[in-house]
Amino acid sequence: MAAKPGAATPTYSPKLVGRSRLPIFKDSDLDWTRPDGRGFHQCRPALLQTGAVSSASGSAYAEFGNTKVIVSVFGPRESKKAMTYSDVGRLNCNVSYTTFASSTLGQGTDHKEYSSMLHQALEGVIIMETFPKTTVDVFALVLESGGSDLSVLISCASLALADAGIMMYDLITAVSVSCIGKSLMIDPVTEEEGCEDGSFMMTCMPSRYEITQLTITGEWTTPNINEAMQLCLDACSKLGEIMRDCLKQSTSASDE
Amino acid sequence: MGLPDSSQDLTSEMEVDAFRRIFPLRFFERHLSESLRPDARPLDKARDTIVNLGLVSTADGSALAKIGSTTMLAAIRMEVMTPSTESPDEGCIAVEFHMPPICSPIVRPGRPAEAAPVISKRLSDTILSSGMIDLKELCLVSGKAAWMGYLDIYCLDADGALFDAALLSAVAAFSNLQIPVVALNDNGRIVAISDEKEQDNASIIEEEAVNKEKRKLTLKNIPFSLTCILHKNYILADPTTEEESIMDTLVTVVLDSSDQMVSFYKSGGEALAYSSSIKSCVELARKRAKELKEILGEMDVD
């Protein structure tokens, strides 16, 4: 579960190319830095690992900075509830937090909002026709919450689905951006999320260049949205490559 | 590596797999008669065990224990509370064991696993009755303030011997626990002191600090446990989920570091525990306790 010592953890910071306008601010204009000392367009190192849970059909562990999540996929298996006949499969998602996930004392509970957001992000990418009458369960546990939890959950879930061999059109990756004042910060940590003016999260299929989910809340200007979109698309495709490498490594390791 | 050969291999493999699914008990008994288990372990051998300390940054103490593929993450958070009037100079420890839906295909969200509260209670009893922790050490101001320790254990992967792994992770988390620095302020309240603050006004705090520096608990009589399956006249140490589901008589022995018995637990099941089999279980637990002590000892060195 822990990072292998010595092996450099890859990151997926985007690069803006061919931008048609000047940046809104220059680095020298800033009188403050991010809590973990990253650049504004720099992502946290992404550690990904498949096969974290042996009893699941597929599973993945993701560690992005202090955000640590495990996702298990069970099925396709018999639908538990007595439901009407359906030609296509069903997807069931659940996200829960540990009691020690955040530093403020709280009860670890099911997170209904993230459960449904995860479902919405995944349902567009899974080929439901391949498992009619059955259910695929995607269960996630946030071990430690360090910001951008939902985007890490979505990326990790798509990796777990791939590990379980569930048919998908493509891997999906999610990246979020926070807007504070004039500046855009990619992959925000908890402190930044707490004082943001607006948040932006994009889930896309990097190889197909298609978006499955886009959430924009708070105060945004059109140029800011455009810039955030550019940043996320580039970061998503880079994260997709990291995930692909992770899957390749796990299959080559199991072949040996 | 001719083609006919490899296809023949496949059919024989298929047959073994089918036999395992259709006649699980006979499949196991065939192995047991050869004094071997399907995962190539001898009957009395526990699976490989790994302990990692301090993985959760938001907790005051944490540990990850892995026995085979059974994985447990334990974390302790400390909070200041007012002690009860019956024991004014003692702290308190609350133990909770969770089985989130990720850990096993039988757990579904909204319907907690039946095993979880049972294991939770047994863990709490074992940790408190073993005398590992002196609750008086958790006292800050007699009658006014004491530490409340919340120990939460999450099962990340369930593959048998859940109690053993949970207890190991709990013990390791306590060995990793650093009690935070707190001070008594003017209003007679306990306040937490962060590291930076401490440097700023070190002189003021020195008078008021109740708990001057981060300290560790002294652990004595550390409990170690081993679960065995009794089946006919075989004893299988450290069972996997598959073994537990097929042969259902489980015996758990908990011994402390000086080989004193802390608890003995036999759930129902078909087989009866005779004194001879109990003796062999205790003997196996003694060996296992020695192994676990070494594993934890290695951790303490770092």
Coordinates of all heavy atoms in Angstrom, one line a residue, chain B residues 19-99:
Chain B
F19 N -14.0 -29.2 -8.5 CA -14.1 -30.0 -7.3 C -14.1 -29.2 -6.0 O -14.9 -29.4 -5.1 CB -12.9 -31.0 -7.3 CG -12.9 -32.0 -6.2 CD1 -13.9 -33.0 -6.2 CD2 -12.0 -32.0 -5.2 CE1 -13.9 -34.0 -5.2 CE2 -12.0 -32.9 -4.2 CZ -13.0 -33.9 -4.2
R20 N -13.2 -28.1 -6.1 CA -13.1 -27.2 -4.9 C -14.4 -26.5 -4.6 O -14.8 -26.3 -3.5 CB -12.0 -26.2 -5.2 CG -11.7 -25.3 -4.1 CD -10.6 -24.4 -4.5 NE -10.1 -23.7 -3.3 CZ -8.9 -23.1 -3.2 NH1 -8.1 -23.2 -4.3 NH2 -8.5 -22.5 -2.1
R21 N -15.1 -26.2 -5.7 CA -16.4 -25.4 -5.6 C -17.5 -26.3 -5.2 O -18.4 -26.0 -4.4 CB -16.7 -24.7 -6.9 CG -16.0 -23.4 -7.0 CD -16.1 -22.9 -8.4 NE -15.3 -21.7 -8.5 CZ -15.8 -20.5 -8.3 NH1 -17.1 -20.3 -8.0 NH2 -15.1 -19.4 -8.4
I22 N -17.6 -27.5 -5.8 CA -18.7 -28.4 -5.5 C -18.6 -29.2 -4.2 O -19.6 -29.3 -3.5 CB -18.9 -29.4 -6.7 CG1 -19.1 -28.5 -8.0 CG2 -20.1 -30.3 -6.5 CD1 -19.0 -29.3 -9.3
F23 N -17.4 -29.7 -3.9 CA -17.2 -30.4 -2.7 C -16.1 -29.8 -1.9 O -15.0 -30.3 -1.7 CB -16.8 -31.9 -3.0 CG -17.7 -32.6 -3.9 CD1 -17.4 -32.9 -5.2 CD2 -19.0 -33.0 -3.4 CE1 -18.2 -33.5 -6.0 CE2 -19.8 -33.7 -4.3 CZ -19.5 -33.9 -5.6
P24 N -16.4 -28.5 -1.3 CA -15.3 -27.8 -0.6 C -14.8 -28.6 0.6 O -13.6 -28.6 0.8 CB -16.0 -26.5 -0.2 CG -17.5 -26.8 -0.3 CD -17.7 -27.8 -1.3
L25 N -15.7 -29.2 1.3 CA -15.2 -29.9 2.5 C -14.3 -31.1 2.1 O -13.2 -31.3 2.7 CB -16.4 -30.4 3.3 CG -16.1 -30.9 4.7 CD1 -15.4 -29.8 5.5 CD2 -17.3 -31.3 5.4
R26 N -14.7 -31.9 1.1 CA -13.8 -33.0 0.7 C -12.5 -32.5 0.2 O -11.5 -33.1 0.4 CB -14.6 -33.9 -0.3 CG -15.3 -35.0 0.4 CD -16.3 -35.7 -0.5 NE -15.7 -36.3 -1.7 CZ -16.4 -36.8 -2.7 NH1 -17.7 -36.6 -2.8 NH2 -15.8 -37.3 -3.7
F27 N -12.6 -31.4 -0.6 CA -11.4 -30.8 -1.1 C -10.4 -30.5 0.0 O -9.2 -30.8 -0.1 CB -11.7 -29.6 -1.9 CG -10.6 -28.7 -2.4 CD1 -9.9 -29.1 -3.6 CD2 -10.2 -27.6 -1.7 CE1 -8.9 -28.4 -4.0 CE2 -9.1 -26.9 -2.2 CZ -8.4 -27.2 -3.3
F28 N -10.9 -29.9 1.1 CA -10.0 -29.5 2.2 C -9.5 -30.7 2.9 O -8.4 -30.8 3.3 CB -10.8 -28.5 3.1 CG -10.5 -27.1 2.8 CD1 -11.3 -26.5 1.8 CD2 -9.5 -26.4 3.3 CE1 -11.1 -25.2 1.5 CE2 -9.2 -25.1 3.0 CZ -10.0 -24.5 2.0
E29 N -10.4 -31.7 3.1 CA -10.0 -32.9 3.9 C -8.9 -33.7 3.2 O -8.0 -34.2 3.8 CB -11.2 -33.8 4.2 CG -12.0 -33.2 5.4 CD -13.3 -33.9 5.6 OE1 -13.7 -34.8 4.8 OE2 -13.9 -33.7 6.7
R30 N -9.0 -33.7 1.8 CA -7.9 -34.3 1.1 C -6.6 -33.6 1.4 O -5.5 -34.3 1.5 CB -8.2 -34.3 -0.4 CG -9.2 -35.3 -0.9 CD -8.5 -36.7 -1.0 NE -7.4 -36.8 -1.9 CZ -7.6 -37.0 -3.2 NH1 -8.8 -37.1 -3.7 NH2 -6.5 -37.0 -4.0
H31 N -6.6 -32.3 1.4 CA -5.4 -31.6 1.7 C -4.9 -31.9 3.2 O -3.8 -32.1 3.4 CB -5.6 -30.1 1.6 CG -5.5 -29.6 0.2 ND1 -6.5 -29.6 -0.7 CD2 -4.4 -29.1 -0.5 CE1 -6.1 -29.2 -1.9 NE2 -4.8 -28.8 -1.8
L32 N -5.9 -31.8 4.1 CA -5.5 -32.0 5.5 C -4.9 -33.3 5.8 O -4.0 -33.4 6.6 CB -6.8 -31.8 6.4 CG -7.4 -30.4 6.3 CD1 -8.6 -30.3 7.3 CD2 -6.4 -29.3 6.6
S33 N -5.4 -34.3 5.1 CA -4.8 -35.7 5.3 C -3.3 -35.7 4.9 O -2.6 -36.6 5.3 CB -5.6 -36.7 4.6 OG -5.6 -36.4 3.2
E34 N -2.9 -34.8 4.0 CA -1.5 -34.7 3.6 C -0.8 -33.6 4.5 O 0.3 -33.2 4.1 CB -1.4 -34.2 2.1 CG -2.2 -35.1 1.2 CD -1.5 -36.4 0.8 OE1 -0.3 -36.4 0.8 OE2 -2.2 -37.3 0.4
S35 N -1.4 -33.2 5.5 CA -0.9 -32.1 6.4 C -0.5 -30.9 5.7 O 0.6 -30.3 5.9 CB 0.4 -32.6 7.2 OG 0.0 -33.7 7.9
L36 N -1.3 -30.5 4.8 CA -1.0 -29.3 4.0 C -2.3 -28.6 3.7 O -3.4 -29.2 3.6 CB -0.3 -29.7 2.7 CG 0.6 -28.7 2.0 CD1 1.8 -28.5 2.8 CD2 0.9 -29.2 0.6
R37 N -2.2 -27.3 3.5 CA -3.4 -26.5 3.1 C -3.4 -26.0 1.7 O -2.3 -26.0 1.1 CB -3.6 -25.3 4.1 CG -3.9 -25.8 5.5 CD -3.5 -24.9 6.6 NE -4.3 -23.8 6.7 CZ -4.2 -22.9 7.8 NH1 -3.3 -23.1 8.7 NH2 -5.0 -21.9 7.9
P38 N -4.5 -25.7 1.1 CA -4.5 -25.3 -0.3 C -3.6 -24.2 -0.7 O -3.1 -24.1 -1.8 CB -6.0 -24.9 -0.6 CG -6.8 -25.7 0.5 CD -5.9 -25.8 1.7
D39 N -3.3 -23.3 0.3 CA -2.3 -22.2 0.0 C -0.9 -22.6 0.4 O 0.0 -21.8 0.6 CB -2.7 -20.9 0.7 CG -2.9 -21.1 2.2 OD1 -2.7 -22.2 2.7 OD2 -3.3 -20.1 2.9
A40 N -0.6 -23.9 0.5 CA 0.7 -24.5 0.7 C 1.3 -24.2 2.1 O 2.5 -24.4 2.3 CB 1.7 -24.0 -0.4
R41 N 0.4 -23.9 3.0 CA 0.9 -23.7 4.4 C 0.8 -25.0 5.1 O -0.2 -25.8 4.9 CB 0.1 -22.7 5.1 CG 0.4 -21.3 4.9 CD -0.4 -20.4 5.9 NE -1.8 -20.3 5.5 CZ -2.7 -19.9 6.3 NH1 -2.4 -19.6 7.6 NH2 -4.0 -19.8 6.0
P42 N 1.7 -25.3 6.1 CA 1.4 -26.4 7.0 C 0.3 -26.0 7.9 O 0.0 -24.8 8.0 CB 2.7 -26.5 7.8 CG 3.7 -25.6 7.2 CD 3.0 -24.7 6.3
L43 N -0.3 -26.9 8.6 CA -1.6 -26.7 9.4 C -1.4 -25.6 10.5 O -2.2 -24.8 10.7 CB -2.1 -27.9 10.0 CG -2.5 -29.1 9.1 CD1 -3.3 -30.1 9.8 CD2 -3.2 -28.6 7.9
D44 N -0.2 -25.6 11.1 CA 0.0 -24.8 12.3 C 0.7 -23.5 11.9 O 1.1 -22.7 12.8 CB 0.8 -25.5 13.3 CG 2.2 -26.0 12.8 OD1 2.4 -25.8 11.6 OD2 3.0 -26.4 13.6
K45 N 0.8 -23.1 10.6 CA 1.6 -21.9 10.3 C 0.6 -20.8 10.0 O -0.4 -20.9 9.3 CB 2.4 -22.2 9.1 CG 3.3 -21.1 8.6 CD 4.7 -21.5 8.6 CE 5.6 -20.4 8.0 NZ 5.4 -19.1 8.4
A46 N 0.9 -19.6 10.6 CA 0.2 -18.4 10.3 C 0.7 -17.7 9.0 O 1.8 -18.0 8.6 CB 0.2 -17.4 11.4
R47 N -0.1 -16.9 8.4 CA 0.3 -16.2 7.2 C 1.3 -15.1 7.5 O 1.5 -14.7 8.6 CB -0.9 -15.6 6.5 CG -1.8 -16.7 5.9 CD -3.2 -16.1 5.5 NE -4.0 -15.8 6.7 CZ -5.1 -15.2 6.6 NH1 -5.6 -14.8 5.4 NH2 -5.8 -14.9 7.7
D48 N 2.0 -14.6 6.4 CA 2.9 -13.6 6.5 C 2.3 -12.3 7.1 O 1.2 -12.0 6.8 CB 3.5 -13.2 5.2 CG 4.5 -14.3 4.7 OD1 4.9 -15.1 5.5 OD2 4.8 -14.3 3.5
T49 N 3.0 -11.7 8.0 CA 2.4 -10.6 8.8 C 3.3 -9.3 8.6 O 4.5 -9.4 8.7 CB 2.3 -10.9 10.3 OG1 1.6 -12.2 10.4 CG2 1.5 -9.9 11.0
I50 N 2.6 -8.2 8.3 CA 3.3 -7.0 8.1 C 2.6 -5.9 9.0 O 1.4 -5.9 9.1 CB 3.3 -6.5 6.7 CG1 3.8 -7.6 5.7 CG2 4.1 -5.2 6.5 CD1 3.5 -7.3 4.3
V51 N 3.4 -5.1 9.7 CA 2.8 -3.9 10.4 C 3.5 -2.7 9.9 O 4.8 -2.6 9.8 CB 3.0 -4.1 11.9 CG1 2.5 -2.9 12.7 CG2 2.4 -5.4 12.4
N52 N 2.7 -1.6 9.7 CA 3.3 -0.3 9.3 C 2.7 0.7 10.3 O 1.5 0.7 10.6 CB 2.8 0.1 7.9 CG 3.8 -0.4 6.8 OD1 5.0 -0.4 7.0 ND2 3.2 -1.0 5.8
L53 N 3.5 1.6 10.7 CA 3.1 2.6 11.7 C 2.9 4.0 11.1 O 3.6 4.4 10.2 CB 4.1 2.7 12.9 CG 4.2 1.4 13.7 CD1 5.2 1.7 14.9 CD2 2.9 0.9 14.3
G54 N 2.0 4.8 11.7 CA 1.9 6.2 11.5 C 1.5 6.6 10.0 O 2.1 7.4 9.4
L55 N 0.5 5.9 9.5 CA 0.1 6.2 8.1 C -0.9 7.3 8.0 O -1.0 8.0 7.0 CB -0.4 5.0 7.4 CG 0.6 3.8 7.3 CD1 -0.1 2.6 6.8 CD2 1.7 4.2 6.3
V56 N -1.7 7.5 9.1 CA -2.8 8.5 9.0 C -2.3 9.8 9.7 O -2.0 9.8 10.9 CB -4.0 8.0 9.8 CG1 -5.1 8.9 9.7 CG2 -4.4 6.6 9.2
S57 N -2.2 10.9 8.9 CA -1.6 12.1 9.5 C -2.6 12.8 10.4 O -2.2 13.6 11.2 CB -1.1 13.0 8.4 OG -2.2 13.3 7.5
T58 N -3.9 12.6 10.2 CA -4.9 13.3 11.0 C -5.1 12.7 12.4 O -5.8 13.2 13.2 CB -6.3 13.3 10.3 OG1 -6.5 12.0 9.8 CG2 -6.2 14.3 9.1
A59 N -4.5 11.5 12.6 CA -4.7 10.8 13.9 C -3.5 11.0 14.8 O -2.4 11.3 14.3 CB -5.0 9.3 13.7
D60 N -3.6 10.8 16.1 CA -2.5 10.9 17.0 C -1.7 9.6 17.0 O -0.5 9.6 17.5 CB -3.0 11.2 18.4 CG -3.7 12.5 18.5 OD1 -3.2 13.5 18.0 OD2 -4.9 12.5 18.9
G61 N -2.3 8.5 16.6 CA -1.5 7.3 16.5 C -2.2 6.4 15.5 O -3.4 6.3 15.5
S62 N -1.5 5.7 14.6 CA -2.1 4.8 13.6 C -1.2 3.7 13.2 O 0.0 3.8 13.4 CB -2.6 5.6 12.4 OG -1.4 6.2 11.8
A63 N -1.9 2.6 12.7 CA -1.1 1.5 12.3 C -1.9 0.7 11.3 O -3.1 0.7 11.3 CB -0.7 0.6 13.4
L64 N -1.2 0.1 10.3 CA -1.8 -0.8 9.4 C -1.2 -2.2 9.6 O 0.0 -2.4 9.6 CB -1.4 -0.3 7.9 CG -2.0 -1.2 6.8 CD1 -3.3 -0.5 6.3 CD2 -1.1 -1.3 5.7
A65 N -2.1 -3.2 9.8 CA -1.6 -4.5 10.0 C -2.1 -5.4 8.9 O -3.3 -5.3 8.5 CB -2.1 -5.1 11.3
K66 N -1.3 -6.3 8.4 CA -1.7 -7.2 7.3 C -1.3 -8.6 7.7 O -0.2 -8.9 8.0 CB -0.9 -6.8 6.0 CG -1.8 -6.2 4.9 CD -1.0 -6.0 3.7 CE -1.8 -6.7 2.6 NZ -1.8 -6.1 1.3
I67 N -2.3 -9.5 7.8 CA -2.0 -10.9 8.0 C -2.5 -11.6 6.7 O -3.7 -11.6 6.5 CB -2.7 -11.4 9.2 CG1 -2.2 -10.7 10.5 CG2 -2.5 -12.9 9.4 CD1 -2.9 -11.2 11.8
G68 N -1.6 -12.1 5.9 CA -2.0 -12.6 4.6 C -2.6 -11.4 3.8 O -2.0 -10.4 3.7
S69 N -3.8 -11.6 3.3 CA -4.4 -10.4 2.7 C -5.4 -9.7 3.6 O -6.0 -8.7 3.2 CB -5.0 -10.8 1.3 OG -5.6 -12.0 1.4
T70 N -5.7 -10.2 4.8 CA -6.5 -9.5 5.7 C -5.8 -8.2 6.1 O -4.7 -8.3 6.6 CB -6.8 -10.3 7.0 OG1 -7.5 -11.5 6.5 CG2 -7.7 -9.6 7.9
T71 N -6.4 -7.1 5.9 CA -5.8 -5.8 6.2 C -6.7 -4.9 7.1 O -7.9 -4.8 6.9 CB -5.6 -5.0 4.8 OG1 -5.1 -5.8 3.9 CG2 -4.7 -3.8 5.0
M72 N -6.0 -4.4 8.1 CA -6.7 -3.6 9.1 C -6.0 -2.2 9.3 O -4.7 -2.2 9.4 CB -6.7 -4.2 10.5 CG -7.5 -5.5 10.5 SD -9.2 -5.2 10.5 CE -9.8 -6.9 10.3
L73 N -6.7 -1.2 9.3 CA -6.2 0.2 9.6 C -6.7 0.7 10.9 O -8.0 0.8 11.0 CB -6.5 1.1 8.4 CG -6.0 2.5 8.5 CD1 -4.4 2.5 8.4 CD2 -6.5 3.4 7.4
A74 N -5.9 0.9 11.8 CA -6.3 1.4 13.1 C -5.8 2.8 13.4 O -4.7 3.1 13.0 CB -5.9 0.5 14.3
A75 N -6.7 3.7 13.9 CA -6.2 5.0 14.2 C -6.8 5.5 15.5 O -7.9 5.1 15.9 CB -6.6 6.0 13.1
I76 N -6.0 6.2 16.3 CA -6.5 6.7 17.6 C -6.4 8.2 17.6 O -5.5 8.9 17.1 CB -5.5 6.2 18.7 CG1 -5.3 4.7 18.6 CG2 -6.1 6.6 20.1 CD1 -4.3 4.2 19.6
R77 N -7.6 8.8 18.0 CA -7.6 10.3 18.2 C -7.8 10.6 19.7 O -8.7 9.9 20.3 CB -8.8 10.9 17.4 CG -8.5 10.8 15.9 CD -9.8 11.1 15.1 NE -10.8 10.1 15.6 CZ -12.1 10.5 15.7 NH1 -12.5 11.6 15.4 NH2 -13.0 9.6 16.2
M78 N -7.1 11.5 20.2 CA -7.3 11.8 21.6 C -8.1 13.1 21.8 O -7.9 14.1 21.0 CB -5.9 12.0 22.3 CG -4.9 10.9 22.1 SD -5.5 9.4 22.9 CE -5.1 9.7 24.6
E79 N -8.9 13.1 22.8 CA -9.7 14.3 23.1 C -9.8 14.5 24.6 O -9.7 13.5 25.3 CB -11.1 14.0 22.6 CG -11.9 15.2 22.0 CD -13.2 14.8 21.5 OE1 -13.3 13.9 20.6 OE2 -14.2 15.3 22.1
V80 N -9.9 15.7 25.1 CA -10.0 15.9 26.5 C -11.4 15.9 27.0 O -12.3 16.4 26.3 CB -9.4 17.3 26.9 CG1 -9.5 17.6 28.3 CG2 -7.9 17.4 26.5
M81 N -11.7 15.2 28.1 CA -13.0 15.1 28.6 C -13.0 15.2 30.1 O -11.9 15.2 30.7 CB -13.6 13.7 28.2 CG -12.8 12.5 28.7 SD -13.8 11.2 29.4 CE -12.5 10.3 30.2
T82 N -14.2 15.3 30.7 CA -14.3 15.3 32.1 C -14.4 13.9 32.6 O -15.4 13.2 32.2 CB -15.5 16.2 32.6 OG1 -15.5 17.3 31.8 CG2 -15.4 16.6 34.0
P83 N -13.6 13.4 33.5 CA -13.7 12.0 33.9 C -15.0 11.8 34.8 O -15.5 12.8 35.4 CB -12.5 11.8 34.7 CG -12.0 13.1 35.1 CD -12.4 14.1 34.1
S84 N -15.5 10.6 34.8 CA -16.7 10.3 35.6 C -16.3 10.4 37.1 O -15.2 10.3 37.5 CB -17.2 8.9 35.3 OG -16.2 7.9 35.7
T85 N -17.4 10.6 37.9 CA -17.2 10.7 39.3 C -16.7 9.5 40.0 O -16.0 9.5 41.0 CB -18.5 11.2 40.0 OG1 -19.5 10.4 39.5 CG2 -18.7 12.7 39.8
E86 N -17.0 8.3 39.4 CA -16.5 7.0 40.1 C -15.0 6.9 40.0 O -14.4 6.3 40.8 CB -17.2 5.8 39.4 CG -18.7 5.8 39.6 CD -19.4 6.1 38.3 OE1 -19.4 5.4 37.4 OE2 -20.0 7.2 38.3
S87 N -14.5 7.3 38.8 CA -13.0 7.2 38.6 C -12.5 8.5 38.2 O -12.2 8.8 37.0 CB -12.7 6.1 37.6 OG -13.5 6.3 36.4
P88 N -12.3 9.4 39.1 CA -11.9 10.8 38.8 C -10.5 10.9 38.2 O -10.1 11.9 37.5 CB -12.0 11.6 40.1 CG -11.9 10.5 41.1 CD -12.5 9.3 40.6
D89 N -9.6 9.9 38.5 CA -8.2 10.0 38.0 C -7.9 9.0 36.9 O -6.8 8.6 36.7 CB -7.2 9.9 39.1 CG -7.5 8.6 39.9 OD1 -8.5 7.9 39.6 OD2 -6.7 8.3 40.9
E90 N -9.0 8.7 36.1 CA -8.7 7.7 35.0 C -9.3 8.3 33.7 O -10.3 9.0 33.7 CB -9.4 6.4 35.3 CG -8.7 5.5 36.3 CD -9.3 4.2 36.4 OE1 -10.3 3.9 35.8 OE2 -8.8 3.4 37.3
G91 N -8.5 8.0 32.6 CA -9.0 8.3 31.3 C -9.9 7.3 30.8 O -10.4 6.4 31.5
C92 N -10.2 7.3 29.5 CA -11.2 6.3 28.9 C -10.7 6.0 27.5 O -10.1 6.8 26.8 CB -12.5 7.0 28.9 SG -13.9 5.9 28.7
I93 N -11.1 4.8 27.1 CA -10.8 4.4 25.7 C -12.0 3.8 25.1 O -12.7 2.9 25.7 CB -9.6 3.4 25.7 CG1 -8.3 4.2 25.9 CG2 -9.5 2.7 24.3 CD1 -7.1 3.4 26.2
A94 N -12.4 4.3 23.9 CA -13.6 3.8 23.2 C -13.1 3.1 22.0 O -12.4 3.6 21.2 CB -14.5 4.9 22.8
V95 N -13.5 1.8 21.8 CA -13.0 1.0 20.7 C -14.2 0.8 19.7 O -15.3 0.4 20.2 CB -12.5 -0.4 21.2 CG1 -12.0 -1.2 20.0 CG2 -11.4 -0.2 22.2
E96 N -13.9 1.0 18.5 CA -15.0 0.7 17.5 C -14.4 0.0 16.3 O -13.3 0.4 15.8 CB -15.6 2.0 17.0 CG -16.8 1.9 16.1 CD -18.1 2.1 16.8 OE1 -18.1 3.0 17.7 OE2 -19.1 1.4 16.5
F97 N -15.0 -1.1 15.9 CA -14.5 -1.8 14.7 C -15.5 -1.7 13.6 O -16.7 -1.8 13.8 CB -14.4 -3.3 15.1 CG -14.0 -4.2 14.0 CD1 -12.7 -4.2 13.6 CD2 -14.9 -5.1 13.4 CE1 -12.3 -5.0 12.5 CE2 -14.5 -5.9 12.3 CZ -13.2 -5.9 11.9
H98 N -15.0 -1.3 12.4 CA -15.9 -1.1 11.3 C -15.6 -2.0 10.1 O -14.4 -2.3 9.9 CB -15.7 0.4 10.7 CG -15.8 1.4 11.7 ND1 -16.9 2.2 11.9 CD2 -14.8 1.9 12.6 CE1 -16.7 3.0 12.9 NE2 -15.4 2.9 13.3
M99 N -16.6 -2.5 9.5 CA -16.4 -3.3 8.3 C -17.1 -2.5 7.1 O -18.3 -2.7 6.9 CB -17.0 -4.7 8.4 CG -16.1 -5.6 9.2 SD -16.8 -7.2 9.4 CE -16.3 -7.9 7.8

